[in-house]
Amino acid sequence: MPSRKRQHREADQEEDVDVVESASSDLRREPPANKRLRVDGRPARNSTASRETSLEIDSGEAPSTQFQRQNVSFLKQHEEERDRDMDDADDEDLEAELAALDQCAAKPGAETGNRAAENGVLESVVCTNFMCHSKLSVTFGPLINFIIGHNGSGKSAVLTAIQICLGGKATSTNRGQTLKAFIKEGQESATLSVKIKNSGDNAYKKDLYGRSIIVERSFTMKGTSGFKVKSVDGKIMSTKRAEVDEINDFYALQLDNPVNVLTQDQSRQFLNNSSSAKKYELLIKGVLLEQLDRDYVLVAESLDNLEHQMDNQKENCRVFRERFEEAERKRGLIQQGESLRDKIRAYTRQLAWVQVEDQERELGVRQKNVATAQQKIESCEQSAERYKEAFDRSERDLAEAQHKKAELDQELAPYTERQQEVREQVDRAKEELTSVQSDARQANGSMQNCKQQVQKYQQAIDDEMQRLEEVNGGAEPAKRAEIVQHSDQMKALKEEQTRLRDEVPDLEKQKSGFDEQAKRIGAAEHHKKNELSDAKRMLQALQQDQGNQNKAFPPSLPKLRDAIERDGRFKDKPVGPMGLHVRLLKPQWSSVIEKTFGGSLDYFVVTSAHDQKILKDLMDKTRYPTVGILIGNKNRLNTSEKEPDSQYDTIMRCLEIDNDLVRNQLIIHNYIDQQILIENQNEAINTFEHVRPRNMAGIFCFHKTEAGKGFRFSWGRGNTMKQDPVDAWNGFPRMRTDIAAQIRMKTDAVEKLRTELGDIERKKTDAQKKATGFAQQISQNGKQIKVMTRKIQEEQDTIDKLNEEIQLLNPQEGTLDGHKANLNEAQEDFEYYRQQMEEITGRQNEIAENAEQLEEELKNAVAELDGKNKEIEKSAKKIKKLEDKRSDKLRDKNAAIAQIEDAKADKAHAEANYRDQEDLIKEFISQAEQVSLRIPVERGETHDSLTNKVNKFQADLDRFEREVGGDTELITRLAFEAREVHYGHERHFKGMVKLSETLANALRERRGRWKHFRQAISSRARSEFMELMKRRGMYGKMVIDHHNKLLELQVDPNASTNKRQRKSGDQQGRQTRTLSGGEKSFSTICMLLALWEAMGSPIRCLDEFDVFMDSVNRDQSMRMLIDAARDNVGRQFVLITPQAMGSAELGTDVKVIRLSDPERGQTTLNLPGA
C-alpha cells in the first residue's frame, strides 16, 4: 500500500518552465484539491564540459533532430487507457475465487492466534477540557477495543480527540468548524494527548523517542494551537506539525481516510443512506487509488504542455539556424587591413613596455632613498648604544645606592629600638628612684618618731617599776610569762608576713616578663593569622577565577584595551600589561619572581614617544590607574653570549614570553637573562661564594621555613656577597601559569602557615599559663598576708586580755603594763621602720647606680642613632642625585630610541615606496606581457610619440572597417555567439524530446500498475465480502462498475435455498434497499470489513456500527467484527457502540472500555446549520 505522502522532485528551473495549476480526476464527484507541478523540458547541463574561448569557429554541421507530434493528447489517452478493460469477474469466477479461499491455508490469526503489533498502535488518549470531558483518560488494548456507554457519555469524543490530536482538521470530524468549538464550555483552552506504541526493530526514531511516542496538542479560545511531540519519559523532542505528519506517514495511520476512520455521522450515512456512487467513492479513496490517479493526470497534462513547448522550440531552432548561416557569411568577407593591424600591434607592444622603463628609472631613485635611511638608522643606533651604556651605569649606581640605603634603613631599626628601650628604662629608673626617695623620707621620719616613743615609754616604765618594786613583791609572773610567749608568736607571724610581702615584687616581675612574652607572641600570632588569611583569600581567588588572568589587573583594563583597538592613531599598537604576555613554566617560583618584578608586569610598552602620549591620554579617559609606559624596540635582543651556563635556571629560562617588546624590557630593567634560580639556600650560597658562574647578576633561592619568601644574593662593596630578603607576593598572579600547580602550592602554603600558627598559639598558651601561675602565687601570698594579719591581731588581743587580768590582780600595775605594751609596740615599729629604711637605702643605691649606667647607655645610643641618621641622610641625598642623573640618562636614551624609531619609520616609508614601485612595475609588466613578451623600445621614442602613432594607424583601420561594415573581432564574435545560440537551442530541443519520451514511458508503466492494483483490490474485496456474507448463511456479491464509478451490493438472505437458482442464472440476489434494516446494516458492515482487508493502516475505527441493527444481526455483526479483527494479525480496532456487551463472547485480546456519564456544562455544540 503506498504512503499518503507523495514525494515530488522539482527539476532545476532555468528558462522555460510550465506550471500546471490544477488537475482533476473523474474518479471523484467533487473537485480535487489544487496541486502544482514544475516541469523543465531542457536536459541537465554538463558542468564538466569545457567552453570555447577562442574566436575561431568550427563550421561543422549542427545536429539535427527528427520530431513528430502525436495526434491525441496525453490526458485523453490516459483517461481512455485507464477506463479500458474494466469488466469484473462473473459469478462463476467469484465462486471459483471463494472456493480457492476455502482451500487456502487459514489466515495467520487462525493458527498462530492474534498478536499485538510492536509499534504503530495507540496505547492511550487523554482529554482535558475537551467537548463534554473535563478530564478523561482512556487506555487502549493493543488489539480489539470496544468503547461503550450511554448516549451522551462522550464516546465519540474519544475518536474525535484521536483525529484532532494527530493533526486532523476540525471540519473532517463533522463535529465542529473550528477547534474552539471543541473546548468545554466555561474553559479557555483544551489539551489532547495520544500515546503511540514505538517498540520493535521498525520503530520510528527509537533511540530518540524510546518505546512510546506522546503527541500532545493544545488549543485555546483565542485561536492558537500547538503541538508537542514527547519521548516516553516526557521530554519534548519537537513542536512542529511536520514531525506529527512524519509519524502519521511512517506508520500509515490514515486517520483522515473516511474508510479507515468512520465517525458517528459518517457511520450512520454509510450504513443507512450510502448510494452506489458513494460506496465506490469510499472504495477508491480508501485504498488511495484516487490520489494516484490525480498524480497521473498531472503528469499527462504536463506532457501535453511539453508537446506545445516542443513545437515552439522547433521553430526557434529554424530561426537561429538562419542567423548562424548569415553570421558565417559575413565572417568570410573580412580579409583585408592586416598590414595596418601589424603596425598597430608593433607600436602597441612598444607603448606597453615604454611605461615599464619609465617606472624602472623611478625605482632606482627610491632605492637610493632606502639606502640613505639605513645609514641614518645605523648612526642613531650607535648614539642610542652610547646612551644605553650611560643609562645602565646610572641604573647600577642607583641600584647600589638604594641597596646601601636599604641596608642602612634596616640597620637603623635596631638603633632606634635600642634608644627607645634605653630611654624608657631611664625614665622608669628615674620614676622608681623618685618613689624610693619619697619612701625613704617617710620611713626615716617614722623611725625617728618611734625612737622618741621608745625613749619616752622606757623612761615611764623605769619610773613605774621603781614605784612597783617598792609597793609589791611580784604576784603576776605567770601571766607575764604568758604575755612574753604570745609576743614571741606575734613576732614570728610578723616576720612571716614580711617574708611574704618581700616575695610579691619578684613574683610580679616574673609575671610581667611572661605577660610581655605572651604579648610579643600575640603580635606574632596576629601577623601569622594575617598571612594565613591572605593565603586563604588567594587560594579561594585562584579556585574561583581559574584562567581569569585579568583578575590581577585593574577592572578598567578591558575598557582600555577596547579603546586601544579602536584608536587608529598608533604607529604600533601598545603592548601590555606585560604580565599578560609572560607565561611561568615553573610555578614554584611564582611568588619570588612576582615580587622581584614588582610593578614591571603592570607596565605597558610602546615603540615611540608619539604612541606613549596617545596611550597616556587613553588611560586618563578610561580612568586607568597610573602605570609605567616604557618605550622599547621591537628588534629581539640577542643574549646568547651574556647568559650563564645552560646548567643553571635563570628567570628568563623559566619564562615563556610571546612578545619581543616585553622580553627586551624585562632583560633591560630586571636582568632576567642573568638572574639564576636555585631552590636550596645553602646550595645558592655555595654557588655564589665558590662557583661564581659567569654572566651572573644574582642568585635567588627559597626561604628555609617561610613559604613564598626567599633571598637574593648579589655583589656588594668590595666584591663581597650581599643578601637581601624577598618577601612573599600576596597579590593575584599576573603571569600566566599552571593554575592547578599554583593551587597546589598555595594549598601547601596554607597548611604550613596553619602549622606555624599552631606552634605560635601553643607558645602563647604556655606563656599565658606561666603568667597565670605567678598571678595565682601573688594572689595566694596576698591571702596569706591577710591571714597573718588576722593572727597577729588575735595574738595582740590575747596579750591585751592578759594585761587586763594583771591589772585586775594589781590595779596599780596597769600603768606599768600599758607603758610596757606601748614600749613593745614602739620598739617593734622602730625595728620595722629601721629594716624598711635599710632596704629602701639599699634599693635607692641600686637604682641610682643603674640610672647612671642607663644614662650613659642612652647617651651612647643617641650618638649612634645620630650617626646612622646622618649616614642615611647622606645616602638619600646621593640617591636623589643618582635618580636625577638616571632620569636624565633615561630621557637621553628614550630620545635616542625615539630617533631610531623615527629613522626606522622613515626607512619603512622609503621601503614601502620602493615596494609600491616594485608592485607598480610588476603590474605594468603583467599588463605589458598580456600584450607581448618584452621587446626593446626604439631610441628616442616616448609614451606620447608612440600613442600618437597608434592612434593614427587605428584611425586608418577604423575607416577601412566602416567601409566593410564592422571590424574583424566584432564580426567573428557575432558569428561565434550565433553558433552557440543555435547549438544550444538544438540541444535544448533534443533534451525536451528525451524528457517527453521518458515521462510518457513512465506514465504508461505506472498506469498499467495502477490498473493491476485496482483489479487486485477489487478482486480481494469481492472475495472477502462473499466470505463474510457466507459466515452469516447469506449470499452476497459486490458488483464494481469502474466505468460508471458505481459499487453495488447484491444480497440474498436465503443462500442455501437459492443457490441452485443462482447457478442456473435465474436469480442474481437482491438490492440492499429491499433488505431489512438489520440485513442492510450487516451487509454494509461486511463491505466495510472487505475494504479494511485491502488497506494497510494499523488502526481501524468505527463509531456506532450497530445503530440500525436488531439484536440478532448485532450479535452476528459483533462476532464477525471480532473474528475479522483477529484474522487481521497485529491490527488495532477501536469500535464504539452504545449497546451493552453482555451477549458477546470476549477473549483476552478484547478490551471493553466503559465510559460513565460526564458532568456536562454545555448542552449542544454550535454546529453549522444546527
Side-chain angles (χ1 to χ4, degrees), residues 107-118 121 141-146 197 1093 1098 1100 1119-1135 1147-1151:
K107 294 185 178 181
E111 295 181 358
T112 62
N114 196 5
R115 58 182 180 273
E118 293 182 336
V121 297
L143 297 170
I144 306 171
N145 297 271
F146 283 94
K197 190 174 182 181
E1093 182 68 22
R1100 283 84 187 271
R1119 286 193 297 272
M1120 184 178 62
L1121 282 172
I1122 294 175
D1123 293 341
R1126 287 171 177 165
D1127 291 340
N1128 285 267
V1129 178
R1131 307 297 186 189
Q1132 185 181 40
F1133 289 78
V1134 179
L1135 307 174
T1148 57
D1149 55 349
V1150 179
K1151 181 175 183 180

Side-chain angles (χ1 to χ4, degrees), residues 106 145 220 361 399 561 616 749 790 920 933 936 1033 1060 1137:
N145 297 271
T220 66
R361 284 191 290 271
R561 298 183 73 177
K616 182 65 171 63
R790 181 176 54 80
L920 183 61
L933 297 176
R1060 184 175 53 81
T1137 174

Side-chain angles (χ1 to χ4, degrees), residues 391-663:
F391 171 74
D392 292 341
R393 285 194 300 272
S394 65
E395 185 84 8
R396 288 192 293 272
D397 293 341
L398 177 60
E400 184 176 354
Q402 290 175 339
H403 180 71
K404 182 178 179 181
K405 184 177 180 300
E407 290 179 342
L408 293 174
D409 290 337
Q410 292 178 356
E411 294 173 358
L412 180 63
Y415 287 99
T416 304
E417 293 175 358
R418 175 60 181 163
Q419 181 202 18
Q420 184 66 25
E421 182 181 357
V422 172
R423 187 179 297 280
E424 291 176 356
Q425 291 177 358
V426 169
D427 294 340
R428 287 196 299 270
K430 288 181 179 181
E431 293 176 358
E432 189 175 1
L433 181 60
T434 302
S435 176
V436 170
Q437 288 174 350
S438 176
D439 293 342
R441 285 192 297 271
Q442 292 178 1
N444 187 38
S446 299
M447 185 179 67
Q448 294 301 325
N449 291 333
C450 291
K451 185 176 180 181
Q452 293 175 2
Q453 290 292 327
V454 169
Q455 292 174 356
K456 175 183 176 181
Y457 291 134
Q458 185 64 45
Q459 183 64 38
I461 290 172
D462 292 341
D463 294 343
E464 185 67 23
M465 286 296 294
Q466 184 178 359
R467 187 182 66 80
L468 290 176
E469 286 178 359
E470 294 176 354
V471 176
N472 190 6
E476 69 278 0
K479 291 189 179 293
R480 292 190 182 278
E482 189 177 354
I483 290 173
V484 172
Q485 181 181 359
H486 285 289
S487 297
D488 292 340
Q489 290 178 358
M490 186 173 64
K491 183 178 180 181
L493 290 172
K494 287 183 177 181
E495 289 177 355
E496 179 65 18
Q497 187 182 44
T498 303
R499 184 187 66 77
L500 292 174
R501 281 197 180 101
D502 293 341
E503 286 181 354
V504 171
D506 184 58
L507 292 174
E508 288 179 345
K509 183 177 181 181
Q510 294 189 54
K511 175 182 176 297
S512 177
F514 283 111
D515 284 338
E516 186 66 25
Q517 182 180 358
K519 185 177 180 181
R520 290 195 302 272
I521 295 175
E525 178 188 21
H526 180 71
H527 178 69
K528 190 62 68 176
K529 285 183 177 178
N530 290 337
E531 289 185 0
L532 179 59
S533 177
D534 292 340
K536 288 181 178 179
R537 177 178 55 80
M538 285 302 302
L539 177 60
Q540 184 178 7
L542 286 173
Q543 291 172 341
Q544 292 178 350
D545 302 304
Q546 295 190 28
N548 184 11
Q549 194 180 5
N550 290 334
K551 184 77 173 179
F553 300 101
S556 56
L557 176 60
K559 186 184 297 184
L560 175 61
R561 298 183 73 177
D562 290 341
I564 291 173
E565 290 299 324
R566 291 194 303 268
D567 201 311
R569 297 175 293 169
F570 290 105
K571 294 181 179 178
D572 293 300
K573 292 292 184 183
V575 177
M578 292 199 295
L580 292 175
H581 300 275
V582 180
R583 179 179 179 84
L584 181 60
L585 302 179
K586 294 188 175 182
Q588 64 267 30
W589 287 101
S590 175
S591 178
V592 173
I593 296 178
E594 289 272 6
K595 193 67 177 180
T596 301
F597 283 160
S600 299
L601 295 179
D602 298 324
Y603 289 1
F604 284 75
V605 187
V606 297
T607 57
S608 65
H610 171 265
D611 291 349
Q612 185 184 43
K613 182 177 182 303
I614 296 174
L615 180 58
K616 182 65 171 63
D617 293 340
L618 292 180
M619 286 182 176
D620 294 340
K621 291 179 180 179
T622 57
R623 297 183 179 179
Y624 193 82
T626 302
V627 297
I629 303 176
L630 306 177
I631 299 177
N633 195 322
K634 292 188 292 186
N635 295 330
R636 185 182 181 89
L637 293 177
N638 184 6
T639 60
S640 58
E641 300 298 328
K642 299 180 182 179
E643 296 185 34
D645 296 337
S646 59
Q647 68 189 52
Y648 297 105
D649 281 341
T650 63
I651 293 180
M652 187 168 71
R653 290 170 183 168
C654 292
L655 301 179
E656 182 181 285
I657 305 173
D658 60 10
N659 188 280
D660 288 338
L661 277 173
V662 175
R663 177 180 177 274

Side-chain angles (χ1 to χ4, degrees), residues 76 103 105 124 146 162 186 205 510 514 652 725 792 1025 1101 1105:
K76 186 174 181 180
Q103 295 175 2
S124 65
F146 283 94
I162 295 173
K205 299 181 182 178
Q510 294 189 54
F514 283 111
M652 187 168 71
I792 290 171
F1025 178 74
C1101 303
F1105 60 91

Side-chain angles (χ1 to χ4, degrees), residues 25-42:
S25 170
D26 55 2
L27 291 176
R28 290 191 61 189
R29 299 294 182 180
E30 66 264 13
N34 291 341
K35 294 193 66 175
R36 295 174 62 88
L37 178 66
R38 293 165 54 170
V39 179
D40 188 355
R42 291 173 284 104

